[in-house]
Amino acid sequence: MIEKHIVLEDIDPVVFYGIGNQHLQMLRALYPKLRIVARDNVIRVIGDEEQMSAFEESSERMRQHILRFNALREEDILDIVKGRRTSDDIPDGVVCYTMSGRAIKARSENQQHLIDAYNDCDMVFAVGPAGTGKTYLSIALAVKALKEKTAKKIILSRPAVEAGEKLGFLPGDMKDKIDPYLQPLYDALEDMLPQVKLQDMMEKHQIQIAPLAFMRGRTLSDAVVILDEAQNTTPQQIRMFLTRMGWNTKMIITGDTSQIDLPRSQKSGLIEALQILKGIEGIGIVELNRKDIVRHKLVTRIVNAYEKFDKQYNNDESINKD
């Protein structure tokens, strides 16, 4: 009789144990010569040495399966214990999986260009209208890097620029005022990581979410760094951000040049950066368009309508000036 303790790292133990500990009960039936007791993220196993070795191997495969798919089914456990490949083995093109088990992958040609540019370049600009998936896909790539340990942390940032509302009127302290600007980033992360694990990663600073102003003076190494809504940066801000890049770091800069919330007299740092950095080796620029919109079909119609309006407005302005 031997005893071992198995620590479930990087995953939500509840997913491993199953609802009402159903998975544990199944494992006890599959390994009758072992006594299996779980507490928090530690499994205490006592019993036959041969079955102990098999259980250790199976539990590690189960952990890896959960890391990939954020889920574990009874049929997966049977396949793993019997040494078979599970039916969910990752197909080509999948970046990662949501908490509901949905595959996150490119849904358009330009989205695939974004994935390819991320793999080929250390810095990528992803520019396009609302709903093209540029932010969501970028965060999925960052989560994949963290899970595969090709990066030690994810750093997400946004400029805290008001879109018709005043920051000072929001209730609470500075964190309370800033959080609404960062909510879209929280939403994407919550879709891809268990709530308990996400909270733990944020407490350990493996995932950091901060306004752009907090980037000054830092060197960002061993990370995937995403700057969202970059069209609302000034030239000085984006230059400061881009020069924060450290060793073993990838940067993704996303933005929509049709939704600039800066004062009319202020030039967008994203537009200037795209002009200056075009053609620089190691920098990828991906332009998404309304054909890449993956939200509700009405979003495409709304984008088209506003593009038509803006074009007519600019023509009228030009005629009036003449």
Side-chain angles (χ1 to χ4, degrees), residues 13 43 51 56 62-63 71 159 198 220 238 248 263:
I43 303 174
Q51 281 204 0
E56 283 186 290
M62 289 165 62
R63 189 187 71 84
L198 173 59
L220 310 175
I238 201 166
N248 191 36

Short mmCIF file of all heavy atoms in Angstrom, two decimals, residues 13 43 51 56 62-63 71 159 198 220 238 248 263:
data_model
loop_
_atom_site.label_atom_id
_atom_site.label_comp_id
_atom_site.label_asym_id
_atom_site.label_seq_id
_atom_site.Cartn_x
_atom_site.Cartn_y
_atom_site.Cartn_z
N PRO A 13 -10.91 22.71 -9.97
CA PRO A 13 -11.12 21.34 -9.47
C PRO A 13 -12.55 20.86 -9.64
O PRO A 13 -12.78 19.65 -9.80
CB PRO A 13 -10.76 21.46 -7.97
CG PRO A 13 -9.90 22.66 -7.87
CD PRO A 13 -10.37 23.60 -8.93
N ILE A 43 -5.78 15.75 -4.45
CA ILE A 43 -6.37 14.41 -4.41
C ILE A 43 -5.42 13.49 -3.64
O ILE A 43 -4.24 13.35 -4.00
CB ILE A 43 -6.60 13.85 -5.82
CG1 ILE A 43 -7.50 14.80 -6.64
CG2 ILE A 43 -7.24 12.47 -5.76
CD1 ILE A 43 -7.65 14.39 -8.08
N GLN A 51 -2.07 0.23 -9.89
CA GLN A 51 -3.21 1.09 -10.21
C GLN A 51 -2.88 2.55 -9.90
O GLN A 51 -3.37 3.46 -10.58
CB GLN A 51 -4.46 0.65 -9.44
CG GLN A 51 -5.15 -0.55 -10.04
CD GLN A 51 -6.62 -0.63 -9.68
OE1 GLN A 51 -7.17 0.21 -8.98
NE2 GLN A 51 -7.28 -1.66 -10.21
N GLU A 56 -2.30 8.05 -11.83
CA GLU A 56 -1.51 9.28 -11.98
C GLU A 56 -1.46 9.70 -13.45
O GLU A 56 -1.62 10.88 -13.79
CB GLU A 56 -0.09 9.06 -11.46
CG GLU A 56 0.03 9.09 -9.96
CD GLU A 56 1.47 9.01 -9.51
OE1 GLU A 56 2.08 7.92 -9.68
OE2 GLU A 56 2.00 10.01 -9.02
N MET A 62 -6.40 13.89 -17.89
CA MET A 62 -7.66 14.58 -17.63
C MET A 62 -7.42 16.07 -17.38
O MET A 62 -8.17 16.93 -17.86
CB MET A 62 -8.37 13.94 -16.43
CG MET A 62 -8.93 12.55 -16.73
SD MET A 62 -9.38 11.63 -15.22
CE MET A 62 -10.64 12.72 -14.55
N ARG A 63 -6.37 16.38 -16.62
CA ARG A 63 -6.03 17.78 -16.36
C ARG A 63 -5.70 18.52 -17.65
O ARG A 63 -6.15 19.65 -17.88
CB ARG A 63 -4.84 17.85 -15.38
CG ARG A 63 -4.54 19.26 -14.87
CD ARG A 63 -3.26 19.28 -14.04
NE ARG A 63 -2.08 19.11 -14.87
CZ ARG A 63 -1.47 20.10 -15.52
NH1 ARG A 63 -1.94 21.33 -15.46
NH2 ARG A 63 -0.41 19.86 -16.26
N ALA A 71 -13.66 21.67 -20.09
CA ALA A 71 -14.77 20.74 -19.81
C ALA A 71 -14.23 19.32 -19.72
O ALA A 71 -13.14 19.02 -20.22
CB ALA A 71 -15.83 20.83 -20.90
N PRO A 159 -7.18 52.84 -23.46
CA PRO A 159 -7.19 54.25 -23.03
C PRO A 159 -8.54 54.58 -22.41
O PRO A 159 -9.59 54.17 -22.91
CB PRO A 159 -6.99 55.01 -24.35
CG PRO A 159 -7.50 54.09 -25.41
CD PRO A 159 -7.26 52.69 -24.91
N LEU A 198 -9.70 32.53 -13.09
CA LEU A 198 -9.45 33.89 -13.55
C LEU A 198 -9.12 34.80 -12.37
O LEU A 198 -8.18 35.58 -12.43
CB LEU A 198 -10.68 34.40 -14.31
CG LEU A 198 -10.65 35.88 -14.73
CD1 LEU A 198 -9.46 36.17 -15.63
CD2 LEU A 198 -11.96 36.23 -15.45
N LEU A 220 7.67 45.41 -20.54
CA LEU A 220 6.76 44.27 -20.54
C LEU A 220 7.42 43.08 -21.22
O LEU A 220 7.52 43.03 -22.44
CB LEU A 220 5.46 44.66 -21.25
CG LEU A 220 4.82 45.98 -20.76
CD1 LEU A 220 3.61 46.33 -21.61
CD2 LEU A 220 4.44 45.88 -19.29
N ILE A 238 0.54 56.20 -27.77
CA ILE A 238 0.81 54.93 -28.46
C ILE A 238 2.31 54.72 -28.65
O ILE A 238 2.80 53.59 -28.57
CB ILE A 238 0.05 54.85 -29.81
CG1 ILE A 238 -0.06 53.38 -30.23
CG2 ILE A 238 0.71 55.70 -30.89
CD1 ILE A 238 -1.06 53.13 -31.34
N ASN A 248 10.76 38.31 -25.35
CA ASN A 248 9.77 37.23 -25.40
C ASN A 248 8.35 37.76 -25.21
O ASN A 248 7.55 37.19 -24.47
CB ASN A 248 10.07 36.15 -24.34
CG ASN A 248 9.23 34.90 -24.55
OD1 ASN A 248 8.94 34.50 -25.67
ND2 ASN A 248 8.78 34.29 -23.46
N PRO A 263 -11.01 64.52 -29.01
CA PRO A 263 -11.46 65.82 -29.52
C PRO A 263 -11.07 65.96 -30.99
O PRO A 263 -10.05 65.41 -31.44
CB PRO A 263 -10.68 66.82 -28.64
CG PRO A 263 -10.35 66.07 -27.39
CD PRO A 263 -10.15 64.64 -27.82
#
